[in-house]
Each structure stands twice: as C-alpha cells, then as structure tokens.
Amino acid sequence: MSEQLAHSAAADVIIETRDVSRLYPGVTALDRVNYRVYRNRVNVLIGENGAGKSTMMKLLAGVESPSSGEILLNGETVTLSSTQQAERHGISIIFQELNLFPNMNVMDNIFIGNEFFQRGVINEKYQYALAKSLLERLELDVDPYAPLGELGIGHQQLVEIARALSKDTQVLLMDEPTSALSQSEVKVLFKVIEQLKRRGVTIIYISHRLEELMEIGDHITIFRDGRFISEREVSDASVPWIIEQMVGDKKKHFDYSPAPQQETVLQVDGLTALHPNGGYRLNDVTFALRKGEVIGIYGLLGAGRTELFKGLIGMLPCQQGRVALHGEDISRLNFQARLKKGIALVPEDRQGEGVVQLMSIKTNMTLSDLSLKGFRRALRPLSPSQEQHNVDDMVRQLAIKVSDSELPITSLSGGNQQKVVLGKALMTGPEVVLLDEPTRGIDVGAKTDVYHLIGKLAHEGLAVMFSSSELDEVMALADRILVMADGRITADLPRAAVTREKLISASTPHD
C-alpha cells in the first residue's frame, strides 16, 4: 500500500473489497485483494491480461461471488449474488464482450429486463422516445426499431452503453468500452462520462489504451497476477510508471525487423462487394501481398477493413473482382476451401465468430485443424497425444496464461481468449494470415507478444495482413500500410513514406 495517496484514508470510498479472493479450478484469479473505488470519480483499473480486472468487475456486478472476503458498499457489507441484485444497489456493468441479442431490435435490447409498464402493458411509445434520446446523447443516428444484428460491432457497443445509461445507476462499470469504437465515438463516450460524473455517478473504467486512461481517469489502481499492486492519482502518474507497475520485472519491448520479401502470394484485383441497401462494402480493391511481408490496414470504423478480410476468406459474397493465391484463382471457392488452400482469419468479433463458449480451450484451439484434417479421415482416428502436444506447444508460443487446456474457454481473460483464437488460425498451417484487430482488448505486455508473433510469422515466410484502429500500432508493425475509406483503398504507403498526417488524411471519407 506504499503507493496510496496520503489523503486516501479520508477520501470518500463508495465501494471497498476486503481480502477478496476468487478461485477457479487450478487458477487463482484474485488473491486477497483490497480494492477501493472513490465516489464521483473515474476510477481506472489496469493490469495485464489475467491480472484479475474482469474478475473483479464480475464480482462487483453480481455475475460471480467471491470465494472469500467481503464487499462493502457505502461502508456496509453487501451480498451481490446476481446482476439484478447489484442493479438494485445501483451498480451496472458494460461488459467487455457484447451482451446483446442480435435477433432483437435496438430498443428492445436497451430495455430488456428493465421495461416500462403502463397498466400491465409495455409502454412502447415512452420506451421509443427514451431510446431515441439515449442514442442521440451518444450521437448514434440509428432508429430504435432497427435490428441490432444489422449494426457493426462499434455501434452495438454504443447500444450496450445506452442500455446501462437507461438504469438508475450510482456506479457504472466499464470493461473495455472503447475497444470497438472509432476515435470520434470515443470522444462522444468521454463527453457522456463527464456528464455522468456531474450527475453523481461513479465510474470504474478498464482499458488497455494508456493515453486514453490518462485523459479520462481521475484515480488509477493497478492489479498484477490477481493481486493489488498500487494506486495513485492519475495527475501524479506517468505512462512509464504505469507500465513498470503492470509488468514488474517482466518488461517487454518490440523492435521492428523487416523480413526478406519474396514472390507474390496473394493477388487481389478489383474486388467489389455491394451492400444490400445500396452502395459498396468493398469498392474496386486491388493490391498484392508478398511472402514475408506484413501489410497493415488502417481506417476508421466502417471503412471496410473487416469486409475486406471476409471477402478474402470467402465469408462475404463479392460480385466482381479476382482473388488469386500463388496465381490460382480462388474467387469461387467457399470459406472452407480457402482455409484448406492456406488462408486463415482471426476475426474481430472474438465471441461471435472466434470461440465456442461451451467448449474447452483445447477444443476451441483445434477446431479449424480438425475440420481440415480429422473429419476427412473418419476411419483413421486422431492421436490424442499429438493433439495435446500441438496445443501445449501453441500455448507456450503465445504465452497463454492457463493451467489446464481442458478448462472452459470462458475461464480465460478476454486477452487470453484472443490468443486462443490466434492459435486456432495458426494450427491450420496457413500461408496467408489475416488478423482483424488482433490486439483488441489485449494489455501492453500481451500486445508485445502479438507484435513479436507477427514478426516471427513474417520471418518464417508467411504473408501477414492485419487491421488496426491504432495509428501507432500500424506504423510500428507494418512493412506497408493500406488505408481504407468507404470500402476503397485510398492510400498504399511503404513504411518509409508513412506519416500520421498522411494516414489520417487518407482515412477521412471524401465525396
């Protein structure tokens, strides 16, 4: 507790945990943590993946219960055994992974479980007006009756935030709320947070974007390996100090090292995908990717980055254009056939498209490899020992924090789940790896692991494409950067020609 503020004892604490622990089979997620949340402030909680941040949020939100210890609200011990009970105490949460229903409309998602009744019937007119008001506060121009499934991930995240704002909340927990938002949407969210503070709402805010935390935070608390490490006023903290507290003696760095580039592996000419409601998802996209090359895709939300990757892997129908792998036209092949040919995708939507939550870590990691090899050899059983060896090897390569690969995938932190999705793609033995926002929801140390992995894949002769909404990241990793806007490539820049100004200018849609 040496890093605590001198006045912390006199500060107004709204939530406090005393010796709280949370145990899972073979894993201690929280180890006797004493954590304090200060009233009417933005309380930043930070740490590497597996540090226990999301677990603490689940305990405070009533999703899970402590194995030992107690939680105090306004100085009194409380039992938070369900999200409904937590909400009755004024505690709401915005989860890192979307907790929405894509088959329902936006309005129903906002008020589900918190409907407004009049004479025993839902007052739909009132809910529509309130939903419209909440969406306008978030500067989201969406009809409340619009089907949620038609919105992009970033817009769905704003709907999740609108749902939290619709409740009588005293404490709002935000677990990676900006991970899928564009820079303009982040600014809107920050304005909403300032409004909430003025209304007396306390915020607990988790993010891996350190500059973002320094901008929005008032007080910072750092966890490491399931333990409380330190706390400090944000005004008294610095980014180097935060990183030192987070990683301890495990300091990491990344040095760019270009790999030898060889022959063209992937050639894309005039790839075009039409939007059902008019316009383009992809508009005449043309580029080449060489063996050993790392191409970064930069663009704002809705620029077409995800659509490009889905078009290349065969998940998005394209009406025009040609995709060739080693000169062979694969444009008419489906997703499974392109996977077999040697293209692998790590999707942006980890929960929706990356993992199967009911399965174990091992099964999730081997799914793609089994579909390519195992199911085609029904009369020749797979070797369990070889399968386990491959999984263990991938766990080591990706530094996944797990004691037993037979544990459910949901026992892992969000960042470690992302590493499992990465491992699943690599176990297919690809020649082209497509990574859609591969560091979304990953902490500083784990990001470095992914950066080294991308460099290692290139040096092993793979062709790599990755998308990122972080300027510094795409500039640090890529040999070449393609900028997208409105489904088009607006700039194709070699590393030596890249500047922040060029990237920002090219990413801004123009008529």
Coordinates of all heavy atoms in Angstrom, one line a residue, residues 1-38:
M1 N 0.8 -1.2 0.0 CA 0.0 0.0 0.0 C 0.9 1.3 0.0 O 0.4 2.3 0.3 CB -0.9 0.0 1.2 CG -1.9 -1.1 1.2 SD -3.5 -0.6 0.7 CE -4.4 -2.1 0.9
S2 N 2.2 1.2 -0.3 CA 3.1 2.3 -0.2 C 2.8 3.4 -1.2 O 3.2 4.5 -1.1 CB 4.5 1.8 -0.4 OG 4.7 1.2 -1.6
E3 N 2.0 3.0 -2.3 CA 1.7 4.0 -3.4 C 0.4 4.7 -3.1 O 0.0 5.5 -4.0 CB 1.7 3.2 -4.7 CG 3.0 2.6 -5.1 CD 4.0 3.6 -5.5 OE1 3.7 4.8 -5.6 OE2 5.2 3.3 -5.7
Q4 N -0.3 4.5 -2.1 CA -1.5 5.1 -1.8 C -1.3 6.6 -1.6 O -0.3 7.0 -1.1 CB -2.3 4.5 -0.6 CG -2.7 3.0 -0.9 CD -3.3 2.4 0.3 OE1 -3.4 3.0 1.3 NE2 -3.5 1.1 0.3
L5 N -2.4 7.3 -1.8 CA -2.3 8.8 -1.6 C -2.3 9.0 -0.1 O -2.9 8.3 0.7 CB -3.6 9.4 -2.2 CG -3.7 9.4 -3.7 CD1 -5.0 9.8 -4.1 CD2 -2.7 10.4 -4.3
A6 N -1.7 10.2 0.3 CA -1.6 10.5 1.7 C -3.0 10.8 2.3 O -3.3 10.5 3.4 CB -0.7 11.7 1.9
H7 N -3.9 11.3 1.4 CA -5.2 11.6 1.9 C -6.2 10.5 1.7 O -7.4 10.7 1.9 CB -5.7 12.9 1.3 CG -6.0 12.7 -0.2 ND1 -5.1 12.9 -1.1 CD2 -7.1 12.3 -0.9 CE1 -5.6 12.7 -2.3 NE2 -6.9 12.4 -2.2
S8 N -5.8 9.3 1.2 CA -6.8 8.3 0.8 C -7.6 7.8 2.0 O -8.8 7.4 1.8 CB -6.0 7.1 0.2 OG -5.1 6.5 1.2
A9 N -7.1 7.8 3.2 CA -7.9 7.4 4.3 C -9.1 8.3 4.5 O -10.2 7.8 5.0 CB -7.0 7.4 5.6
A10 N -8.9 9.6 4.2 CA -10.0 10.5 4.4 C -10.9 10.6 3.1 O -12.0 11.3 3.2 CB -9.5 11.9 4.7
A11 N -10.5 10.0 2.0 CA -11.3 10.1 0.8 C -12.6 9.4 0.9 O -12.8 8.5 1.7 CB -10.5 9.5 -0.4
D12 N -13.6 9.8 0.1 CA -14.9 9.2 0.1 C -14.9 7.9 -0.7 O -15.0 8.0 -1.9 CB -15.9 10.2 -0.4 CG -17.3 9.8 -0.1 OD1 -17.5 8.8 0.5 OD2 -18.3 10.6 -0.5
V13 N -14.9 6.8 -0.1 CA -14.9 5.5 -0.7 C -16.4 5.0 -0.8 O -17.0 4.9 0.2 CB -14.0 4.5 0.0 CG1 -14.1 3.1 -0.6 CG2 -12.6 5.0 0.1
I14 N -16.8 4.7 -2.1 CA -18.2 4.1 -2.2 C -18.2 2.6 -2.2 O -19.1 2.0 -1.7 CB -18.8 4.7 -3.5 CG1 -20.3 4.3 -3.6 CG2 -18.0 4.3 -4.8 CD1 -21.0 5.0 -4.7
I15 N -17.1 2.0 -2.8 CA -17.0 0.5 -2.8 C -15.7 0.1 -2.3 O -14.7 0.8 -2.6 CB -17.2 -0.1 -4.2 CG1 -18.7 0.1 -4.7 CG2 -16.9 -1.6 -4.3 CD1 -18.9 -0.4 -6.1
E16 N -15.6 -0.9 -1.5 CA -14.4 -1.4 -0.9 C -14.4 -2.9 -0.9 O -15.5 -3.5 -0.5 CB -14.1 -0.8 0.4 CG -12.7 -1.3 1.0 CD -12.5 -0.6 2.4 OE1 -13.4 0.1 2.9 OE2 -11.4 -0.9 2.9
T17 N -13.4 -3.6 -1.3 CA -13.3 -5.0 -1.1 C -12.2 -5.3 0.0 O -11.2 -4.6 0.0 CB -12.9 -5.8 -2.4 OG1 -11.5 -5.5 -2.7 CG2 -13.8 -5.4 -3.5
R18 N -12.5 -6.3 0.8 CA -11.5 -6.6 1.9 C -11.1 -8.1 1.8 O -12.0 -9.0 1.9 CB -12.1 -6.4 3.3 CG -12.4 -4.9 3.5 CD -13.0 -4.6 4.9 NE -13.2 -3.2 5.2 CZ -13.8 -2.7 6.2 NH1 -14.3 -3.5 7.1 NH2 -14.0 -1.4 6.3
D19 N -9.9 -8.3 1.5 CA -9.3 -9.7 1.3 C -10.2 -10.6 0.4 O -10.4 -11.7 0.7 CB -9.2 -10.3 2.7 CG -8.1 -9.7 3.6 OD1 -7.1 -9.2 3.0 OD2 -8.3 -9.6 4.8
V20 N -10.6 -10.0 -0.7 CA -11.4 -10.8 -1.6 C -10.6 -11.7 -2.5 O -9.6 -11.2 -3.1 CB -12.3 -9.8 -2.5 CG1 -12.7 -10.5 -3.8 CG2 -13.4 -9.3 -1.7
S21 N -10.9 -12.9 -2.5 CA -10.3 -13.9 -3.4 C -11.3 -14.6 -4.3 O -12.5 -14.7 -3.9 CB -9.6 -15.0 -2.6 OG -8.5 -14.4 -1.9
R22 N -10.9 -15.0 -5.5 CA -11.8 -15.7 -6.4 C -11.0 -16.9 -7.0 O -10.0 -16.6 -7.7 CB -12.4 -14.9 -7.5 CG -13.3 -15.6 -8.4 CD -14.6 -16.1 -7.7 NE -15.6 -16.6 -8.6 CZ -15.8 -18.0 -8.7 NH1 -15.1 -18.8 -7.9 NH2 -16.7 -18.4 -9.5
L23 N -11.4 -18.1 -6.7 CA -10.6 -19.3 -7.1 C -11.4 -20.0 -8.2 O -12.6 -20.2 -8.1 CB -10.4 -20.2 -6.0 CG -9.7 -19.6 -4.7 CD1 -9.6 -20.7 -3.6 CD2 -8.4 -19.0 -5.0
Y24 N -10.7 -20.5 -9.3 CA -11.2 -21.4 -10.3 C -10.4 -22.6 -10.2 O -9.3 -22.6 -9.6 CB -11.2 -20.8 -11.7 CG -11.9 -19.5 -11.8 CD1 -11.3 -18.2 -11.8 CD2 -13.3 -19.5 -12.0 CE1 -12.0 -17.1 -12.0 CE2 -14.1 -18.4 -12.2 CZ -13.4 -17.1 -12.2 OH -14.1 -16.0 -12.4
P25 N -10.9 -23.7 -10.8 CA -10.1 -25.0 -10.8 C -8.7 -24.7 -11.3 O -8.5 -24.4 -12.5 CB -10.9 -25.9 -11.7 CG -12.3 -25.5 -11.6 CD -12.2 -24.0 -11.5
G26 N -7.7 -24.8 -10.5 CA -6.3 -24.7 -10.9 C -5.8 -23.2 -11.1 O -4.7 -23.0 -11.4
V27 N -6.7 -22.2 -10.9 CA -6.3 -20.8 -11.1 C -6.8 -20.0 -10.0 O -8.0 -20.1 -9.5 CB -7.0 -20.3 -12.4 CG1 -6.6 -18.9 -12.6 CG2 -6.4 -21.1 -13.6
T28 N -6.0 -19.1 -9.5 CA -6.4 -18.1 -8.5 C -6.5 -16.7 -9.3 O -5.5 -16.1 -9.6 CB -5.4 -17.9 -7.4 OG1 -5.3 -19.2 -6.7 CG2 -5.8 -16.9 -6.4
A29 N -7.7 -16.3 -9.6 CA -7.9 -15.1 -10.4 C -7.7 -13.9 -9.5 O -7.2 -12.9 -10.0 CB -9.3 -15.1 -11.0
L30 N -8.2 -13.9 -8.2 CA -7.9 -12.8 -7.3 C -7.4 -13.4 -6.0 O -7.9 -14.4 -5.5 CB -9.3 -12.0 -7.1 CG -9.8 -11.2 -8.2 CD1 -11.2 -10.7 -7.9 CD2 -8.9 -10.1 -8.6
D31 N -6.4 -12.7 -5.4 CA -5.7 -13.3 -4.3 C -5.7 -12.2 -3.2 O -4.9 -11.3 -3.1 CB -4.3 -13.7 -4.6 CG -3.6 -14.4 -3.5 OD1 -4.2 -14.6 -2.4 OD2 -2.4 -14.6 -3.6
R32 N -6.7 -12.3 -2.3 CA -6.9 -11.4 -1.1 C -6.7 -9.9 -1.5 O -5.8 -9.2 -0.9 CB -5.8 -11.8 0.0 CG -6.1 -13.2 0.6 CD -5.0 -13.6 1.5 NE -3.8 -13.8 0.7 CZ -2.6 -14.2 1.3 NH1 -2.5 -14.3 2.6 NH2 -1.5 -14.4 0.5
V33 N -7.5 -9.5 -2.3 CA -7.4 -8.1 -2.9 C -8.2 -7.1 -2.0 O -9.4 -7.3 -1.7 CB -8.0 -8.1 -4.3 CG1 -8.0 -6.6 -4.8 CG2 -7.1 -8.9 -5.2
N34 N -7.5 -6.1 -1.7 CA -8.1 -4.9 -1.0 C -8.2 -3.8 -2.0 O -7.1 -3.2 -2.4 CB -7.3 -4.5 0.2 CG -7.3 -5.6 1.3 OD1 -8.4 -6.0 1.7 ND2 -6.2 -6.0 1.7
Y35 N -9.4 -3.5 -2.5 CA -9.5 -2.5 -3.6 C -10.6 -1.5 -3.2 O -11.6 -1.8 -2.6 CB -10.0 -3.3 -4.8 CG -10.5 -2.5 -6.0 CD1 -9.7 -1.5 -6.6 CD2 -11.7 -2.7 -6.6 CE1 -10.1 -0.7 -7.6 CE2 -12.1 -2.0 -7.7 CZ -11.3 -1.0 -8.2 OH -11.7 -0.3 -9.3
R36 N -10.3 -0.2 -3.6 CA -11.2 0.9 -3.2 C -11.6 1.7 -4.4 O -10.8 1.9 -5.3 CB -10.5 1.8 -2.2 CG -10.5 1.2 -0.8 CD -9.8 2.0 0.2 NE -8.3 2.1 -0.1 CZ -7.4 2.6 0.7 NH1 -7.8 3.0 1.9 NH2 -6.2 2.6 0.4
V37 N -12.9 2.0 -4.4 CA -13.5 2.8 -5.5 C -14.0 4.2 -4.9 O -14.7 4.2 -3.9 CB -14.7 2.1 -6.2 CG1 -15.3 2.9 -7.3 CG2 -14.2 0.7 -6.7
Y38 N -13.5 5.3 -5.5 CA -13.8 6.6 -4.9 C -15.0 7.2 -5.6 O -15.1 7.2 -6.8 CB -12.5 7.5 -5.1 CG -11.4 6.9 -4.3 CD1 -10.5 6.0 -4.9 CD2 -11.3 7.1 -2.9 CE1 -9.4 5.5 -4.1 CE2 -10.2 6.6 -2.2 CZ -9.3 5.8 -2.8 OH -8.3 5.2 -2.0

